[in-house]
Amino acid sequence: MSVTAPQGFEAAGVAAGLKSTGKADVAVVVNRGPRKVGTAVFTSNRAKANPIIWSQQVVADRTVEAVVLNSGGANCFTGAFGFQTSHLTAEKAAELLGVSAGDVVVCSTGLIGSGDEVFRGKVLAGVEAGIAELSAEGGQAAAEAIMTTDTVAKTVVVRRDGWTIGGMAKGAGMLAPGLATMLVVLTTDADLDAVDADAALRRATGVTFDRLDSDGCMSTNDQVTLLANGASGIRPDLDEFAAALTEAADDLAKKLQGDAEGASHDITIVVQGAASEQDAVEVGRSVARNNLFKAAIFGNDPNWGRVLAAIGTTRAAFDPYDTDVFMNGVRVCTAGGPDRPREEVDLTPRATELVIDLKHGDATATIRTNDLTHDYVHENSAYSS
Amino acid sequence: MSVTAPQGFEAAGVAAGLKSTGKADVAVVVNRGPRKVGTAVFTSNRAKANPIIWSQQVVADRTVEAVVLNSGGANCFTGAFGFQTSHLTAEKAAELLGVSAGDVVVCSTGLIGSGDEVFRGKVLAGVEAGIAELSAEGGQAAAEAIMTTDTVAKTVVVRRDGWTIGGMAKGAGMLAPGLATMLVVLTTDADLDAVDADAALRRATGVTFDRLDSDGCMSTNDQVTLLANGASGIRPDLDEFAAALTEAADDLAKKLQGDAEGASHDITIVVQGAASEQDAVEVGRSVARNNLFKAAIFGNDPNWGRVLAAIGTTRAAFDPYDTDVFMNGVRVCTAGGPDRPREEVDLTPRATELVIDLKHGDATATIRTNDLTHDYVHENSAYSS
């Protein structure tokens, strides 16, 4: 059910010819109210796609009526023509829905530099077809329409007493922190004001999507949008709602990690004993971006030396001679030297846990990443995105 | 001739059994004077190997008599025992040479975490054998003894009027800026005082080894040492010497790039039109570390979108809608959109030039990197270093 699990949302996914495979490539998600609260977080990449520039204006007033998403073209670095395409997309949807274009978020994903006249025509036709098919059962179709190199549609539903959160996500490459790192739409029928919706979204993304760093490459098009309509009539407090939203976002982040391009291991890096959460995140990201460590995990090699070498490039409080490293539960490094024999570490399962104990405090953070594989190189050299 | 090309230097390379292949693995370079000026730059990784900790003390007084280098074991994270090994290595060499142990630099390279009793015994025996074989023709043998995954020995000779610089380098992986990025010994018979030698070394490494970023991974063992003995009796001025030393270092840096593990392209990233040199370096490094861009080059794909996406993650002054990108001479992106057709770019040669014009000033910088290939993943998942 994804985004249509909460009351008062409709969605659709249609094939508009943007994908050469003929699969669905335009999705529409509409909030039927009563409230039209909407907010979003965007990629912090300074090279932003046209739909990002458009949508940042849309959410400024925290009111969103609908989200239009397309795969099959990023509409990034397509000049003034491309920005006009995003604008026209919103206007088309607004006209058909009887709302203001300034309340329609637009998201695009696909090849950077593509977005010509033909692209525009297909997107606008897709918006029309999508809106004609809107239904309260359309969540799954919408989730499928935003897939690119994803192998599975990614959806989530989190239910609480009387209210619900639904969500969908796409993303398989260019996954790195910097606010959002993919296209995500989250919906809820909880009754939230704009301030709480925005606070909850930032709390949730800060510890989930922001800490997924599959390949260290930050996208130009990423956006996580939250729509809240109050249709349940129930008003959870901020902490309660933020916890549920974090659960939904965490579930989608795990699904993105599990479907990352070419990956053969999902690596959870837990940094503990840090002097600050910032230190823990910096250490986790540094290890997550170390190609030598990532290649070692691909080869089922518990190479703790590469972990310490990666930590050494950070500014975090740590003593290389008093840091513990555990791989899948086995302490392979302690006191600046080898500990248990490497043969004890079984790295054959896809789920891989690396625990780093910095022994400098009580702060902790978890970063999710993937290994560096032949398939990653292959997909990203052959697939032009 | 490498390090023995200048007058007054002797070297040797011997097989001490550290490499399972039986190839040479211990090198000794000795300065026969008259002056014994020596200085070095070290990895800025905070996780430092024992020989780095030792050698930092040695060069503090800018006097160096000899350099002992071994491949086949990094002696990194081998605890107090490992530090003692570096110390004993220097003492052994000092005793045989009749100099102070405090003037003997030690360098090691190989697997992190390896450096036990057996390793120590072999290194010490290798020092003895190496010193017995010292000769003014030993430069090539020394260069071969420091090879790890290198496929060729890397040496350089730069001659000026009456004085000479010689050098040798090893390095094929874990190449990233942070002062030195490999083991390098540079020698000269020019007459330099310690202050000029140190200034020239920092100038030269700052624009050569510091700007080689093959895989973004910073080593724990890297060190570039310069020895100067004044045997030529000629005293060049600082600018003249620094220029010649930069030429030698640049030649070795190019050779390291050309032999990087698994690489199929040597990518020269020229950033021009930057507001500052710092901006130019930051942009160049960001692109050099972008796995998606590097995988695209492996696939001969002139993917300029990934270049702009990488620039967007920096703090450099730039306008994504007014940045030019050239690949092998073809402008593929201008004014925030595609320019010449991608078919015009021939990426089949190993030498690849990416020019980024930020159009924000006159500063420029060149960063050297490599592509991300199947062979890189293979070598670094199978080879445990």
Side-chain angles (χ1 to χ4, degrees), chain B residues 46-59:
Chain B
R46 293 165 59 209
K48 291 183 205 308
N50 290 304
I52 296 291
I53 299 168
W54 169 261
S55 300
Q56 285 180 321
Q57 299 173 7
V58 170
V59 303

Side-chain angles (χ1 to χ4, degrees), chain B residues 60-123:
Chain B
D61 67 356
R62 303 284 182 257
T63 300
V64 177
E65 295 273 358
V67 184
V68 176
L69 311 94
N70 76 274
S71 50
N75 192 14
C76 180
F77 299 127
T78 47
F81 180 86
F83 183 76
Q84 230 180 3
T85 298
S86 293
H87 188 168
L88 288 171
T89 303
E91 282 196 335
K92 181 66 148 183
E95 182 195 321
L96 296 167
L97 294 168
V99 302
S100 158
D103 295 331
V104 178
V105 162
V106 178
C107 304
S108 300
T109 179
L111 184 68
I112 294 176
S114 73
D116 57 7
E117 194 84 55
V118 176
F119 169 85
R120 178 190 285 182
K122 289 177 176 175
V123 170

Side-chain angles (χ1 to χ4, degrees), chain B residues 178-261:
Chain B
L179 283 191
T181 58
M182 61 291 303
L183 298 189
V184 177
V185 179
L186 295 159
T187 54
T188 185
D189 51 17
D191 186 16
L192 298 171
D193 60 27
V195 172
D196 277 6
D198 197 60
L201 182 62
R202 285 169 203 283
R203 271 205 224 171
T205 57
V207 294
T208 56
F209 300 123
D210 264 5
R211 295 190 182 174
L212 172 63
D213 191 336
S214 176
D215 66 0
C217 296
M218 190 193 292
S219 164
T220 52
N221 285 60
D222 291 339
Q223 178 172 349
V224 179
T225 305
L226 170 66
L227 308 178
N229 64 13
S232 69
I234 298 173
R235 186 171 187 115
D237 75 13
L238 175 59
D239 285 346
E240 188 187 357
F241 181 73
L245 194 66
T246 300
E247 185 181 322
D250 196 46
D251 182 80
L252 289 174
K254 268 187 225 164
K255 285 172 177 159
L256 291 164
Q257 179 191 28
D259 197 26
E261 284 172 355

Side-chain angles (χ1 to χ4, degrees), chain B residues 261-282:
Chain B
E261 284 172 355
S264 69
H265 289 81
D266 299 335
I267 311 170
T268 305
I269 303 173
V270 179
V271 182
Q272 60 192 41
S276 67
E277 190 177 347
Q278 190 183 319
D279 271 13
V281 169
E282 186 182 351

Side-chain angles (χ1 to χ4, degrees), chain B residues 316-337:
Chain B
F318 102 110
D319 175 358
Y321 292 94
D322 189 22
T323 298
D324 286 352
V325 179
F326 300 78
M327 289 201 195
N328 285 352
V330 179
R331 194 171 71 178
V332 284
C333 166
T334 193

